[in-house]
Amino acid sequence: MSSPPVSSSAVAYEAWTSLAVPDWLNKGDNAWQMVSATLVGIQSMPGLVILYGSIVKKKWAVNSAFMALYAFAAVVICWVTWAYKMSFGEKLLPFWGKAGPALGQKFLIKQAALPATPHHFSNGALETAEIEPFYPMATMVWFQCVFAAIALVILAGSVLARMNFKAWMMFVPLWLTFSYTIGAFSLWGGGFLFHWGVMDYSGGYVIHLSSGIAGFTAAYWVGPRSKRDRERFPPNNVLLMLAGAGLLWLGWAGFNGGDPYAANTDSSMAVLNTNICAATSLLVWTWLDVIFFKKPSVIGAVQGMITGLVCITPGAGLVQGWAAIVMGVVSGSVPWYSMMVLGKKLKIFQMVDDTLAVFHTHAVAGLLGGILTGLFAEPRLSTLFLPVTNSKGGVYGGPGGIQILKQIVGALFIIGWNLVATSIICVFINFIVPLRMTEEELLIGDDAVHGEEAYALWGDGENLSLYKDDTTHHVTVSSGATQVV
């Protein structure tokens, strides 16, 4: 009995499927990775765009949101043009990959692979194989791109309300190239810290510690906000700020859940731990506000949420649930103390104007998370993710104690590199364009910088626009009198 004829359309479909769905492709992993990338992207845009635009004084709403938006867009182009391969490509130096474009279809549709990640024993035998997720390189490129983007967006929080936008346009590609790619390759892409076994599950060091230190350094070089803004800087929309914070929190499911490069058990563990730590940290921060200042602060709760999310990031898929609670208690209290107590006492925090306290919420919390990961990393969970076999945290005994030392050394490298690289970048830019806005721009705000305002209402007293024959006239305030010029 002859078999039924096969239609030409079925043959064509099979041929198309073999190209679009190769044998190595896992559709579930690919779908989750793209969803994770989208969630991380949403954290920046619109998440931090909304949060920045609403947590600042009204006259800086447009500028603050636009700095985040511009950074996101600029990173995308730089990433696919040269920065991805510097972070995850072939090894050039122990801390840097070879630059190159990630734009051709032959590169983007092949199976994802990180060529510098095979790890060997001291005798040369293979210990762990090259990282090769079951989805195309295009997915990997985009997933890592949104991480690079949010690092710049976080950094922007330190220099809001006074950095020259033209200087920011130069800063973004320079810092991405000469700072972010170094940390990413060293810890994730197959660099020396990766092979030494430093734990950074999802960016506590690569993103948060680096952006916190770089932001604080950039804030020093840019200089402070105007005296008037430093003395009074109320948020212009607290409810909208909460909307941005909510996008940031829930988007962290992709931030930490996507880093096993698969939809597996470790990914689930990472997502749960992320929410446990964030909730604990928010509660602890709020309790401290009530105990010491007698009032629960919504802005404080958001800060506590962020420190919890940051702290769990280096160990999200490496620690147990009880450890996530401990990390939440620490992240809700230590950064609170550094911000609310030391921030008012130490001269350096008075001298350097870190607008959104990124140093405390990201650098301090990221450093704590990295060290606590070295203490609490569970052996079995560690084997699911790390290239160095038998890695474990200090509380599990044996060689676990050395892991804390590795975490400290890794943090010191990230801190030192960002201090130096960011300083050099800022000094270089300042030779070309001023890092800080003019005094007139600092007085007026968005309308002077962008010719746009966030709200139609006039209430701050900084400027008033009168439209006559399409000509805009600004108001200046001097000795309490208003003069139209």
Side-chain angles (χ1 to χ4, degrees):
M1 183 176 181
S2 61
S3 48
V6 179
S7 68
S8 59
S9 60
V11 173
Y13 179 79
E14 289 177 3
W16 175 84
T17 302
S18 65
L19 294 174
V21 189
D23 293 338
W24 48 260
L25 179 65
N26 183 302
K27 292 183 179 180
D29 285 353
N30 192 36
W32 171 240
Q33 208 66 33
M34 289 192 291
V35 168
S36 295
T38 302
L39 288 171
V40 178
I42 287 173
Q43 288 184 290
S44 293
M45 189 182 66
L48 286 174
V49 170
I50 292 173
L51 193 151
Y52 285 4
S54 53
I55 201 172
V56 298
K57 199 172 184 178
K58 183 172 74 69
K59 71 174 187 177
W60 293 115
V62 171
N63 179 259
S64 300
F66 195 12
M67 283 184 70
L69 176 63
Y70 181 87
F72 188 91
V75 167
V76 172
I77 301 305
C78 298
W79 192 250
V80 297
T81 306
W82 69 80
Y84 170 78
K85 289 188 176 180
M86 295 177 74
S87 304
F88 295 95
E90 296 178 359
K91 176 182 174 182
L92 174 66
L93 296 170
F95 53 85
W96 222 359
K98 296 179 181 178
L103 293 166
Q105 64 90 12
K106 287 184 178 180
F107 174 79
L108 293 173
I109 67 172
K110 70 178 183 180
Q111 183 177 0
L114 305 184
T117 56
H119 183 71
H120 298 84
F121 290 106
S122 57
N123 63 4
L126 184 67
E127 184 173 359
T128 51
E130 178 180 353
I131 296 175
E132 293 182 310
F134 299 115
Y135 44 74
M137 192 65 85
T139 302
M140 177 65 79
V141 170
W142 177 239
F143 178 73
Q144 297 297 351
C145 177
V146 290
F147 278 80
I150 200 171
L152 265 301
V153 174
I154 291 169
L155 192 159
S158 292
V159 293
L160 296 180
R162 85 277 200 178
M163 187 171 186
N164 183 351
F165 200 87
K166 296 182 180 68
W168 179 243
M169 294 169 72
M170 296 180 63
F171 183 90
V172 170
L174 289 172
W175 190 83
L176 175 71
T177 303
F178 296 106
S179 187
Y180 182 83
T181 59
I182 302 294
F185 185 81
S186 298
L187 282 157
W188 288 344
F192 75 106
L193 294 176
F194 173 89
H195 288 293
W196 193 37
V198 177
M199 298 177 177
D200 189 12
Y201 186 85
S202 196
Y205 286 178
V206 174
I207 296 172
H208 301 292
L209 181 59
S210 65
S211 60
I213 296 298
F216 195 75
T217 305
Y220 167 79
W221 288 105
V222 173
R225 288 167 289 172
S226 67
K227 185 175 183 293
R228 184 176 179 182
D229 283 348
R230 291 198 75 179
E231 291 173 350
R232 191 170 188 276
F233 204 71
N236 67 83
N237 195 323
V238 173
L239 294 181
L240 197 60
M241 176 198 72
L242 287 175
L247 292 170
L248 188 66
W249 184 343
L250 294 186
W252 227 284
F255 200 104
N256 289 344
D259 261 295
Y261 298 146
N264 58 20
T265 55
D266 198 37
S267 176
S268 299
M269 193 75 186
V271 173
L272 179 60
N273 280 339
T274 298
N275 288 281
I276 291 173
C277 188
T280 303
S281 184
L282 184 153
L283 296 176
V284 170
W285 193 294
T286 302
W287 294 338
L288 289 172
D289 277 347
V290 171
I291 292 169
F292 289 95
F293 302 122
K294 310 305 179 185
K295 291 182 179 180
S297 166
V298 174
I299 297 176
V302 170
Q303 302 283 32
M305 175 203 81
I306 292 173
T307 56
L309 293 167
V310 171
C311 185
I312 194 61
T313 292
L318 304 176
V319 303
Q320 300 189 61
W322 62 264
I325 293 177
V326 174
M327 293 172 76
V329 172
V330 175
S331 65
S333 54
V334 175
W336 180 92
Y337 182 78
S338 73
M339 182 190 300
M340 308 305 294
V341 179
L342 297 182
K344 295 177 173 62
K345 289 184 177 181
L346 297 184
K347 185 177 180 180
I348 188 171
F349 293 127
Q350 299 300 312
M351 180 178 67
V352 180
D353 182 16
D354 181 2
T355 309
L356 298 186
V358 174
F359 176 84
H360 304 283
T361 56
H362 292 271
V364 174
L367 177 60
L368 286 172
I371 295 173
L372 291 172
T373 297
L375 185 64
F376 295 129
E378 198 274 332
R380 183 180 177 186
L381 293 173
S382 297
T383 61
L384 297 176
F385 185 78
L386 297 169
V388 180
T389 55
N390 299 320
S391 295
K392 56 183 176 181
V395 298
Y396 295 96
I402 196 67
Q403 190 63 49
I404 300 175
L405 175 62
K406 291 182 179 181
Q407 297 302 108
I408 293 172
V409 172
L412 290 175
F413 173 77
I414 294 296
I415 291 170
W417 187 275
N418 278 278
L419 279 170
V420 174
T422 306
S423 294
I424 293 172
I425 290 168
C426 287
V427 171
F428 171 75
I429 293 173
N430 203 39
F431 277 119
I432 302 172
V433 295
L435 288 170
R436 195 166 180 260
M437 296 178 187
T438 65
E439 291 301 321
E440 180 185 7
E441 290 172 330
L442 291 172
L443 174 67
I444 296 173
D446 288 337
D447 194 47
V449 179
H450 302 286
E452 299 166 314
E453 293 181 315
Y455 304 103
L457 299 176
W458 176 64
D460 281 348
E462 277 80 10
N463 81 85
L464 173 65
S465 296
L466 304 173
Y467 297 93
K468 297 179 180 179
D469 300 326
D470 297 324
T471 301
T472 301
H473 303 270
H474 299 297
V475 164
T476 59
V477 181
S478 178
S479 301
T482 302
Q483 179 183 358
V484 179
V485 295

